[in-house]
Amino acid sequence: MPAAGQGKPAVPAARTDDAVPRVAAPREEGGPAGLAALGPAELLHRLRVRRASVEDSSITHVERVAARAGRTVPWPAWVPRSLREAYGFEPWEHQAAAASLAHAGQHVVLATGTASGKSLAYQMPALSRLLEDPRATVLYLSPTKALAADQLRAVARLGLDGVRPATYDGDTPRDEREWIRQHSRFVLTNPDMLHHAMLPGHARWAPFLRRLAYVVIDECHTYRGVFGSHVSHVLRRLRRLAAQYGSSPTFVLASATSGDPEDAASRLTGLPVTAVTEDASPRGAVTFALWEPPLLPHEDPDLPPTRRSALSETADLLTDAVVAGTRTLAFVRSRRAAEVVATMTRRSLDEAVPGLGRRVAAYRAGYLREDRRAIERALMSGELLALASTNALELGVDLVGLDAVLICGYPGTRASLWQQAGRAGRAGGEALAVLVARDDPLDTYLVHHPEALFGRPVEATVLDPANPYVLGPQLCCAAAEAPLRPADLEMFGGRAAHAAVEGLTRTGALRKRPTGWYWTHQGRPEVDLRGTGGAPVAVVESATGRLLGTVDQGSSHVMLHQGAVYLHQGASYVVDDLDLDDAVALVHAAEPDWSTHARDVTDLSVVSVREYVDAGPVGLFLGEVDVTNQVVSYQRRRIGTGEVIDTRPLDLPARELRTVAVWFTVSPRTLLAAGVEPPDVPGALHAAEHAAIGLLPLMATCDRWDIGGLSTANHADTQAPTVFVYDGHPGGAGFAERAYGTAAQWLRATREAIASCGCDAGCPSCVQSPKCGNGNNPLDKDKAISVLDAVLASLPNRAAADEPNAA
């Protein structure tokens, strides 16, 4: 079961999760096809009977989360009367508890379910302070612009005199920025703007920083991996400058339910943080279905079975929902997938009811700001009945009146799963969420092991502030803002920070003086918080010069190579040229009957070993590695059949990465004893590697696209058969450490996922990978089970990190 409060609360229409009075959008009286609009329960029944019989049903499990009444408490005595009257209702118990801790000066994190009213918990102390002290200021940080804009509307609607809330982000006109610096007392921004503009220009923000009373960090569970590690140092830089101007703000954090909110918030801020986790908000009933697409018939019995794609299945379900008048949001994993699902749904709807396709749209990052805002308005007004969206809509924007959520593929973490599911649900009504499994090991495992979703707490948030590829650049940023003093280094990590500063001094990036360490260059350090590898690549239509959107540097080699098919708002384009120096891809409109799939080659060498477990014939290691990857070609595959038309070479530069990896070795003698003959070793290790990558998100807050792998029958550095799994970010992101610490549990789930798959020789549900640069060849499913049996027989059952050896 999820943590309490994961569903939309059953609350009166006058109260919403942003704690601002508003009337909920009315339900449509009739569906677009003339049918009465179906509620979530009726829709699930209709979806269930889409198959010919119960035995053919794609639903593998239905979890029902019961409705729950809320518990209110009187307003704390310290809340001004004007603020109580502006809200017009009493707070939930958890809101008052977190707010009172913050009012008393304790740093606090509120980790409760979706729509549990976390906004009020930080608004209460922050706005009370602004009303009582006309000089005080508050800084609000969110991971997305949309969330900050939504919070601005919430605070502005309260109509409080003198607060003067304002958003300060990349969309803020320059003529407004000076007014905000001088007059706004409640500034809403994001970590990127804080890092790139506010902290480097801190002298212009001196009055604001001098009076800073509270720092609010919303949706703090999103700050994980490399991004979270960078943000942790941005917050330390903020604390340092605030102290220099004479303030010591209280930090108030809001999070989705998390496995360790107190520890994660402490690592993020560098401060002792108290957690409030008991959710006292009401919750409407939630019906959660797990859905496995059907197997497709094969004319050739020698081919491995494949399932209907999750994208096609989601598009069909979204079509059924729209025809039934059920307002629905479909979450998909990628920008391209959002376009595909929206296009397929529109096409099916127009065939059923001409013109109905206009009520469905795609939504994703990379759209221009005005396009995103127009789509948001159309959904809220009811002009649009459904959206196919990336996780850009997972957070923040208050989507009133949605009945159902379709989740196309496990989003990587249980926290994200419940966050997405919580976007559905009307006041007092039941919500429907459906997880549509992709044909990969993790999704297949989850739809057949519902206890892994519903019977466990959400994951721990993984971030590593000591990552040298994060720490060094962030120390340079801090030194450029104000000289680093020895006392500052304790805030940035103590011993690790001292070592980093010494290294930066040796290379000339910093210069030591009696008053501290100084940044030696004219310009500011160029540091990318999100680890995307540089400026985004602009996608430009050659014939018109029109900017279609952007793609991050890390994905550009795969998505925008010459000849790639690029999708945008339902239209397809073919890439003519990718200019990496100028970060521009030129495209032309086209409707090819094929799709493109990049292929790459990877080399890996071990740099150092941090820790290891000696388990006799099996060794488990954690350490630094160098990874070289190059996209060398792409396949064109026929749409519909998947037939490979041809493979075309590419001339793209190799990318080099120093990162952290976990790896295990097995002696050849042990493999032979397990029945794995030498010719079988490459395929067995390769299959085990794919499945292990697919199952790692069960243990850590990562996605399979955050990690990579390599397997070899005799690696040059280990002199043994070896399987590597590495973080796909410079310096690592903490995922390999989590894998090392839970190795026995992780590999046991991997073994079970392979063994329980019904295929004969391996398929996407167990050992095939969509990102394999070798075209999923060779793979040996049965021998992979033998390899994992041998490893698990030797590996200690408890977490491997319990008894590490220092290398």
Side-chain angles (χ1 to χ4, degrees), residues 1-2 60-61 63 290 414 418 445-458 698 749 752:
M1 295 287 280
T60 62
H61 179 79
E63 187 82 9
L290 304 183
R414 290 182 291 278
W418 286 107
Y445 179 87
L446 291 173
V447 295
H448 291 287
H449 295 81
E451 70 280 359
L453 291 176
F454 303 111
R456 302 175 58 186
V458 297
L698 270 183
E752 185 174 349

Side-chain angles (χ1 to χ4, degrees), residues 592-607:
D593 63 351
W594 39 263
S595 59
T596 53
H597 304 264
R599 303 189 69 179
D600 60 4
V601 294
T602 301
D603 291 317
L604 182 150
S605 61
V606 175
V607 177

Side-chain angles (χ1 to χ4, degrees), residues 45-191:
H45 176 71
R46 173 173 289 194
L47 299 180
R48 186 191 292 272
V49 299
R50 292 174 80 242
R51 302 284 177 236
S53 65
V54 174
E55 290 74 17
D56 293 333
S57 173
S58 291
I59 297 176
T60 62
H61 179 79
V62 175
E63 187 82 9
R64 301 192 187 278
V65 182
R68 180 190 62 211
R71 302 191 305 275
T72 62
V73 295
W75 284 99
W78 48 266
V79 179
R81 179 181 296 274
S82 59
L83 188 55
R84 302 182 200 183
E85 292 174 349
Y87 287 120
F89 50 77
E90 290 188 328
W92 308 126
E93 191 176 85
H94 64 278
Q95 294 171 327
S100 294
L101 287 170
H103 179 261
Q106 292 189 45
H107 309 294
V108 61
V109 56
L110 178 61
T112 53
T114 308
S116 58
K118 291 186 283 288
S119 301
L120 179 59
Y122 54 73
Q123 288 176 10
M124 199 189 305
L127 296 175
S128 295
R129 181 64 178 273
L130 295 183
L131 292 173
E132 291 174 345
D133 180 356
R135 295 173 59 83
T137 60
V138 171
L139 181 66
Y140 168 95
L141 298 173
S142 75
T144 65
K145 295 177 185 178
L147 178 52
D150 203 54
Q151 284 296 303
L152 175 65
R153 290 190 291 268
V155 175
R157 281 196 296 261
L158 293 171
L160 301 172
D161 292 336
V163 172
R164 299 189 293 273
T167 54
Y168 188 85
D169 56 33
D171 294 334
T172 305
R174 295 202 171 273
D175 57 351
E176 292 181 16
R177 297 187 180 188
E178 184 60 32
W179 183 94
I180 293 171
R181 282 193 292 267
Q182 293 183 7
H183 301 291
S184 177
R185 300 176 60 219
F186 195 128
V187 174
L188 301 98
T189 187
N190 52 64

Side-chain angles (χ1 to χ4, degrees), residues 40 43 321 326-330 401-406 421 423-425 431-434:
L43 177 63
T326 305
R327 298 179 66 178
T328 306
L329 178 62
L402 294 179
D403 296 299
V405 165
L406 306 175
R423 303 309 286 168
L432 173 66
V434 180

Side-chain angles (χ1 to χ4, degrees), residues 311-378:
L311 292 180
S312 298
E313 200 80 347
T314 300
D316 280 359
L317 295 176
L318 192 58
T319 300
D320 287 350
V322 172
V323 170
T326 305
R327 298 179 66 178
T328 306
L329 178 62
F331 281 108
V332 294
R333 301 298 309 280
S334 69
R335 297 180 178 189
R336 178 181 180 135
E339 301 286 358
V340 168
V341 169
T343 299
M344 294 171 70
T345 304
R346 283 195 292 258
R347 189 175 298 149
S348 297
L349 288 170
D350 284 335
E351 290 175 359
V353 182
L356 187 54
R358 292 195 298 269
R359 302 192 69 180
V360 177
Y363 184 100
R364 61 175 176 80
Y367 281 0
L368 301 181
R369 176 177 180 267
E370 52 269 27
D371 292 338
R372 294 197 310 271
R373 297 295 176 262
I375 294 170
E376 291 167 15
R377 288 192 298 270

Side-chain angles (χ1 to χ4, degrees), residues 574-620:
V574 174
V575 178
D576 299 315
D577 181 59
L578 172 61
D579 188 331
L580 292 171
D581 293 332
D582 292 335
V584 174
L586 298 177
V587 303
H588 70 271
E591 293 285 345
D593 63 351
W594 39 263
S595 59
T596 53
H597 304 264
R599 303 189 69 179
D600 60 4
V601 294
T602 301
D603 291 317
L604 182 150
S605 61
V606 175
V607 177
S608 64
V609 175
R610 289 185 187 173
E611 302 176 47
Y612 68 92
V613 172
D614 184 351
V618 171
L620 178 72

Side-chain angles (χ1 to χ4, degrees), residues 321-584:
V322 172
V323 170
T326 305
R327 298 179 66 178
T328 306
L329 178 62
F331 281 108
V332 294
R333 301 298 309 280
S334 69
R335 297 180 178 189
R336 178 181 180 135
E339 301 286 358
V340 168
V341 169
T343 299
M344 294 171 70
T345 304
R346 283 195 292 258
R347 189 175 298 149
S348 297
L349 288 170
D350 284 335
E351 290 175 359
V353 182
L356 187 54
R358 292 195 298 269
R359 302 192 69 180
V360 177
Y363 184 100
R364 61 175 176 80
Y367 281 0
L368 301 181
R369 176 177 180 267
E370 52 269 27
D371 292 338
R372 294 197 310 271
R373 297 295 176 262
I375 294 170
E376 291 167 15
R377 288 192 298 270
L379 181 66
M380 293 180 187
S381 70
E383 179 184 344
L384 287 174
L385 269 176
L387 278 186
S389 172
T390 61
N391 63 0
L393 278 180
E394 180 179 320
L395 306 174
V397 178
D398 187 20
L399 304 177
V400 177
L402 294 179
D403 296 299
V405 165
L406 306 175
I407 303 170
C408 181
Y410 182 60
T413 67
R414 290 182 291 278
S416 288
L417 180 76
W418 286 107
Q419 193 80 5
Q420 292 181 5
R423 303 309 286 168
R426 297 170 185 251
E430 182 176 339
L432 173 66
V434 180
L435 172 62
V436 181
R438 291 170 301 165
D439 202 6
D440 80 359
L442 180 57
D443 285 36
T444 302
Y445 179 87
L446 291 173
V447 295
H448 291 287
H449 295 81
E451 70 280 359
L453 291 176
F454 303 111
R456 302 175 58 186
V458 297
E459 304 86 350
T461 303
V462 176
L463 61 120
D464 180 17
N467 179 339
Y469 289 84
V470 172
L471 179 57
Q474 286 292 336
L475 287 170
C476 290
C477 291
E481 291 156 5
L484 279 171
R485 294 173 174 80
D488 296 332
L489 300 185
E490 293 307 310
M491 178 185 296
F492 287 96
R495 182 182 302 176
H498 279 279
V501 164
E502 290 174 3
L504 293 167
T505 303
R506 285 194 300 271
T507 61
L510 299 181
R511 180 176 294 118
K512 188 174 183 180
R513 290 289 183 260
T515 53
W517 288 271
Y518 287 74
W519 173 243
T520 59
H521 301 284
Q522 288 285 348
R524 296 198 301 265
E526 291 293 331
V527 178
D528 175 19
L529 293 190
R530 297 176 186 265
T532 54
V537 177
V539 183
V540 177
E541 189 173 21
S542 303
T544 63
R546 181 168 65 104
L547 175 64
L548 298 178
T550 60
V551 171
D552 63 84
Q553 280 274 351
S555 303
S556 62
H557 286 207
V558 172
M559 292 182 63
L560 297 176
H561 59 75
Q562 186 174 0
V565 176
Y566 175 79
L567 298 179
H568 178 75
Q569 292 189 346
S572 64
Y573 299 82
V574 174
V575 178
D576 299 315
D577 181 59
L578 172 61
D579 188 331
L580 292 171
D581 293 332
D582 292 335
V584 174

